[in-house]
Amino acid sequence: MNTNLRRAVCAAAVAVLGLPVLAACGSGSDDQGSGESGGGGKGSKTVTLVSHDSFVASDSVLKEFTRQTGYTVKTIKGGDAGQAVNQAILSKSHPQGDVFFGVDNTLLSRALDNGLFTPYTAKGLDRVDKKYQPDASEHRVTPVDTGEICVNYDRAYFAGHKLAPPQSFDDLVKPEYKNLLVTENAATSSPGLAFQLATVAKYGETGWQDYWKKLRANGVEVVDGWEQAYSERFSGSAGGKKAKGDKPLVVSYASSPPAEVVGAEPLPAEAPTGVATGTCFRQTEFAGLLKGARNTEGGKALLDFLLSRTFQEDMPLQMYVRPVNQDAKLPELFTKYGAQIADPQVLAPEQIAKNRDQWVKEWSSLVLK
């Protein structure tokens, strides 16, 4: 996901528990600077991964990759998913690295249409469900993780007001939930765009506009990005409590609740936040071998590793996403506190590609005017 819950984990640990910054808050492999691709040409033992800001992996896992392959991973981070994809497009004639991670299904067509990737069939794809492989005919990208964008709610608020939390899109426009929801800007935020696309999937290409008119009339607040929405405006998150946020509903992730309990002693019976399971949209993230990469062999080895159980089982409590490898096991903290979404909204990649820009323009004129 282009903005995952690593920041929320840190906020929960510091603001609520008084803990030192957790290991999950960062990785020793990060290199925030920009630079030329690959860390060297053919024969280089450095492979460069370009990603959005939320990529993180355990040091021990990256060391295992080095042990297995001889390559050391260098990471270059480029803002949120939209920013990172746009930067990759602008620099495609001289790519910053060998592999790009973090383009999701809402932005995939933009990357593919601009010819960012060299096809490669990664080892382990046979253990990935076809529904996560929209580019299976060409293998320009490799699916790495999946999750759902959903409305989250502050349990304490709704218990205190003796009000049942909303569970569906239709609920969100009811009078009892007026002025309670904060969402991200669909033009600037991946979760915001995913939530808009969820309403398109739910109400159709000619019905979603009326829904947003109702949502706007019901007092929805729009902010630029997930960090502001979740960690500042949302009353249920550790950061939101500290910032005195007053919105008990926020567009976030089905996997957000575990971030609010990580490090707690003892663990609570349930997370302080819940998920409105009828408001979800499936999001899948991909990685690809950048066209023009200087270390193609290292890039291929890294793509193989991203699908390995070693990496896939590390992801849930590092990036708060689910593995796509069917053999990977989820940690108990993730399964106990994260919501399981049986039937999320989905849209075909080609439908998103054809209409995304126009839908965002329409959304902006309806909601931001």
Side-chain angles (χ1 to χ4, degrees), residues 36-59:
E36 294 302 317
S37 69
K42 183 177 180 181
S44 171
K45 302 313 290 183
T46 296
V47 56
T48 301
L49 177 70
V50 182
S51 76
H52 53 57
D53 282 349
S54 295
F55 176 83
V56 63
S58 297
D59 287 340

Side-chain angles (χ1 to χ4, degrees), residues 1 5 146-152 226 250-259 273-277 279-281 320-322 334 337-342 344:
M1 297 177 183
L5 295 171
T146 189
E148 291 84 27
I149 301 295
C150 309
V151 170
N152 284 208
W226 177 88
V250 65
V251 172
S252 191
Y253 297 90
S255 53
S256 295
T273 60
V275 174
T277 57
T279 65
C280 302
F281 182 83
Y320 287 82
V321 289
R322 290 199 312 274
F334 201 88
Y337 296 103
Q340 304 302 310
I341 310 302

Side-chain angles (χ1 to χ4, degrees), residues 182 221-234 250:
V182 58
E221 179 182 345
V222 178
V223 297
D224 285 341
W226 177 88
E227 179 73 18
Q228 184 181 1
Y230 188 85
S231 296
E232 296 180 18
R233 300 296 297 124
F234 179 45
V250 65

Side-chain angles (χ1 to χ4, degrees), residues 47 65 69 71 99 120 296-306:
V47 56
F65 171 72
T69 67
Y71 295 109
V99 171
Y120 174 65
T296 56
E297 293 308 308
K300 292 175 181 178
L302 182 56
L303 288 172
D304 293 343
F305 187 74
L306 293 178

Side-chain angles (χ1 to χ4, degrees), residues 110 352-363:
R110 185 177 296 168
I352 296 174
K354 180 181 178 181
N355 298 290
R356 179 187 55 237
D357 292 346
Q358 181 58 37
W359 286 342
V360 170
K361 288 180 182 178
E362 290 182 51
W363 180 90

Side-chain angles (χ1 to χ4, degrees), residues 1 11-12 14 32 63 73 75 78 97 103 119 129 134 148 152 184 200 211 218 242 275 292:
M1 297 177 183
V14 175
Q32 298 291 350
K63 288 177 182 177
V73 178
T75 59
V103 58
D129 194 301
E148 291 84 27
N152 284 208
E184 301 85 359
V200 176
Y211 177 78
N218 212 38
K242 186 175 181 180
V275 174

